[in-house]
Amino acid sequence: MLYHLFQWLDEAYNLPGAGLFQFSTFRAALAVLLSLILSTVYGERVIKFLQRKQMGEQIRDLGLEGQAEKAGTPTMGGLIIIGATLIPVLLLGDLQNIYIILLIVTTVWMGIIGFLDDYKKKMQKNKDGLAGKYKVIGQVGLGIIVGATMFFHSDITIREEIKQTAGTEQVEITTLRGNDKFDVAHKSLKTTIPFVKYNEIDYSTILTSINEDWKDYAWIIFIPIVIFIITAVSNGANLTDGIDGLAAGTSAIIVLTLGIFAFISGNIIFSDYLNVMYIPGTGEMLIFIAAFVGSLIGFLWYNAYPAQVFMGDTGSLTIGGIIAVLAIATRKEWLIPILCGIFLMENLSVVLQVGYFKYTKKKFGEGRRIFLMSPLHHHYQKKGIHESKIVSRFWIVGILLAVLSIITLKIR
């Protein structure tokens, strides 16, 4: 809103200082400050409101140290993250930018699914919460919206470096830097694969390799991939939310890294210099990412050990959905196994534990376990490591994975 207001003031009246709002970096700085203030100052009021509504966490006895003390801690604190993200974005973002619209839709959509789950658990005293099939339907629905928008919307394009053929070799045209080196914006399903020299792949080639006329039906391949990514990452974030500060801290690291990718991909000079895909419009996502990181860090003020509030599914499902959409929008979804390695390990630990238990029970008549408990962070708790140390070490691993993800820009 403020972005559009100051844009009008700059164009109509040449108001001094109004032009600053045209710079995404300036608005991103304001967004992170505003989200931090909202999440820290007004977060306490949200916590007190949740306490009055008796939205306390019901703790199952899993035999973990310090577990009993967490009983009654307010949950559904994801409302703090959602509010502190959306308010700065609505004020400072370009609300006509398709990427901003997609991220707002994702936040509200996944927030509603998580809220319904928490509401059924706390207010309706249904320990199972929202039925799993309805969660999956919600995730699939969002995947269809995001995938269809990415495929069909005219504003979602890429621009590629102009090359000309000289004999059998590809020779880059020698021109000035910037716009002159890139062709016009066009629709494409190209994405980035890490550690590969010519690190781009086009999803549509899966069909066009069979029949060139099938290119217009590439959405049949692309949308299921988007659905899978959104479902996997949101569930991974949900499983990671098990001890104080773990999900919020690791997510902040991941989102900050995706912010770097969005800034580079949306800037024609940096994308040219680093030889990465130039995606017009993605630079605007920097405002959303700044607000989101600020809200996560502000939430940590209350969620760090010992937690005064838990994010609940309202927060964890929303976080996972946003991260998935950011990765897809920046064409970095193949980096998710590395960048979201913590989520992947938590997911795999559950899958392996359940699978191995069922296998050994069928084969030996007695179920056996790989881990002392899953998800993985509970395994380390069972080993007697304090949860604050587990969180710190997971954060360190998350930082290492983020650095590795960033250097894939040059390691090919």
Side-chain angles (χ1 to χ4, degrees), residues 57-58 60 113-114 116-122 124-135 238 313 317:
E57 184 71 55
Q58 298 173 353
R60 290 184 300 156
I113 295 172
L116 290 174
D117 186 55
D118 289 334
Y119 184 84
K120 288 180 73 69
K121 287 177 182 176
K122 311 310 172 193
Q124 297 183 1
K125 308 301 180 185
N126 182 345
K127 65 178 182 179
D128 296 324
L130 189 66
K133 63 179 179 180
Y134 294 119
K135 287 185 186 178
N238 188 239
D313 283 8
L317 289 176

Side-chain angles (χ1 to χ4, degrees), residues 340-353:
C340 301
I342 298 295
F343 294 173
L344 179 63
M345 289 189 296
E346 298 279 29
N347 252 332
L348 282 178
S349 67
V350 174
V351 172
L352 292 173
Q353 185 87 323

Side-chain angles (χ1 to χ4, degrees), residues 58-68 242-243 372-375 377-378 381-382:
Q58 298 173 353
I59 303 296
R60 290 184 300 156
D61 186 12
L62 300 175
L64 299 171
E65 184 181 351
Q67 186 182 17
I243 51 181
L372 298 176
M373 184 180 288
S374 63
H377 55 263
H378 287 325
Q381 277 187 287
K382 281 286 190 179

Side-chain angles (χ1 to χ4, degrees), residues 349-393:
S349 67
V350 174
V351 172
L352 292 173
Q353 185 87 323
V354 173
Y356 188 70
F357 185 87
K358 290 181 177 179
Y359 170 75
T360 52
K361 187 174 183 178
K362 184 177 181 180
K363 186 171 184 178
F364 304 109
E366 178 186 17
R368 301 174 185 176
R369 293 175 172 83
I370 300 173
F371 306 101
L372 298 176
M373 184 180 288
S374 63
L376 187 61
H377 55 263
H378 287 325
H379 169 77
Y380 292 111
Q381 277 187 287
K382 281 286 190 179
K383 293 185 74 172
I385 304 174
H386 194 274
E387 64 179 279
S388 61
K389 180 168 282 190
I390 297 170
V391 170
S392 298
R393 288 176 175 175

Side-chain angles (χ1 to χ4, degrees), residues 90-402:
L90 292 173
L91 287 173
L92 300 166
D94 179 1
L95 301 182
Q96 295 176 339
N97 181 284
I98 185 60
Y99 295 107
I100 292 293
I101 294 170
L102 265 183
L103 288 167
I104 291 173
V105 169
T106 299
T107 304
V108 174
W109 187 286
M110 296 302 291
I112 290 172
I113 295 172
F115 178 85
L116 290 174
D117 186 55
D118 289 334
Y119 184 84
K120 288 180 73 69
K121 287 177 182 176
K122 311 310 172 193
M123 299 300 289
Q124 297 183 1
K125 308 301 180 185
N126 182 345
K127 65 178 182 179
D128 296 324
L130 189 66
K133 63 179 179 180
Y134 294 119
K135 287 185 186 178
V136 173
I137 289 171
Q139 291 164 335
V140 170
L142 179 62
I144 292 171
I145 292 171
V146 174
T149 304
M150 291 288 294
F151 185 83
F152 292 106
H153 200 282
S154 59
D155 287 347
I156 295 182
T157 58
I158 68 169
R159 291 179 64 185
E160 298 179 274
E161 282 193 71
I162 301 170
K163 294 181 182 294
Q164 65 179 5
T165 304
T168 58
E169 299 180 2
Q170 286 284 326
V171 179
E172 184 179 311
I173 293 178
T174 304
T175 61
L176 298 174
R177 69 175 187 175
N179 280 297
D180 292 338
K181 292 185 70 173
F182 291 86
D183 64 4
V184 295
H186 60 277
K187 298 292 297 179
S188 175
L189 287 183
K190 281 190 175 181
T191 192
T192 307
I193 301 179
F195 304 116
V196 178
K197 186 174 182 180
Y198 302 105
N199 65 333
E200 293 175 2
I201 185 173
D202 194 331
Y203 289 120
S204 64
T205 57
I206 299 173
L207 290 179
T208 55
S209 61
I210 303 171
N211 189 322
E212 192 67 33
D213 296 332
W214 291 358
K215 185 175 182 179
D216 292 339
Y217 301 99
W219 59 268
I220 296 172
I221 301 292
F222 182 66
I223 291 178
I225 291 172
V226 172
I227 291 171
F228 173 77
I229 292 168
I230 289 175
T231 304
V233 178
S234 58
N235 287 336
N238 188 239
L239 289 172
T240 304
D241 180 34
I243 51 181
D244 300 350
L246 179 58
T250 52
S251 297
I253 295 165
I254 292 168
V255 174
L256 190 59
T257 308
L258 288 169
I260 295 171
F261 290 136
F263 178 72
I264 293 171
S265 298
N267 187 293
I268 197 166
I269 296 174
F270 286 116
S271 59
D272 176 34
Y273 176 72
L274 292 171
N275 193 25
V276 298
M277 189 184 297
Y278 173 46
I279 313 171
T282 53
E284 188 64 25
M285 291 196 297
L286 198 62
I287 287 80
F288 185 98
I289 290 167
F292 191 38
V293 170
S295 68
L296 288 169
I297 294 172
F299 179 76
L300 271 174
W301 183 274
Y302 301 104
N303 185 240
Y305 180 85
Q308 297 170 252
V309 66
F310 300 138
M311 68 173 64
D313 283 8
T314 306
S316 59
L317 289 176
T318 304
I319 287 171
I322 291 171
I323 288 173
V325 173
L326 285 171
I328 293 164
T330 54
R331 319 279 175 132
K332 297 293 185 292
E333 64 270 24
W334 285 71
L335 265 178
I336 286 176
I338 301 172
L339 180 57
C340 301
I342 298 295
F343 294 173
L344 179 63
M345 289 189 296
E346 298 279 29
N347 252 332
L348 282 178
S349 67
V350 174
V351 172
L352 292 173
Q353 185 87 323
V354 173
Y356 188 70
F357 185 87
K358 290 181 177 179
Y359 170 75
T360 52
K361 187 174 183 178
K362 184 177 181 180
K363 186 171 184 178
F364 304 109
E366 178 186 17
R368 301 174 185 176
R369 293 175 172 83
I370 300 173
F371 306 101
L372 298 176
M373 184 180 288
S374 63
L376 187 61
H377 55 263
H378 287 325
H379 169 77
Y380 292 111
Q381 277 187 287
K382 281 286 190 179
K383 293 185 74 172
I385 304 174
H386 194 274
E387 64 179 279
S388 61
K389 180 168 282 190
I390 297 170
V391 170
S392 298
R393 288 176 175 175
F394 272 51
W395 285 0
I396 292 169
V397 172
I399 292 169
L400 290 173
L401 292 172

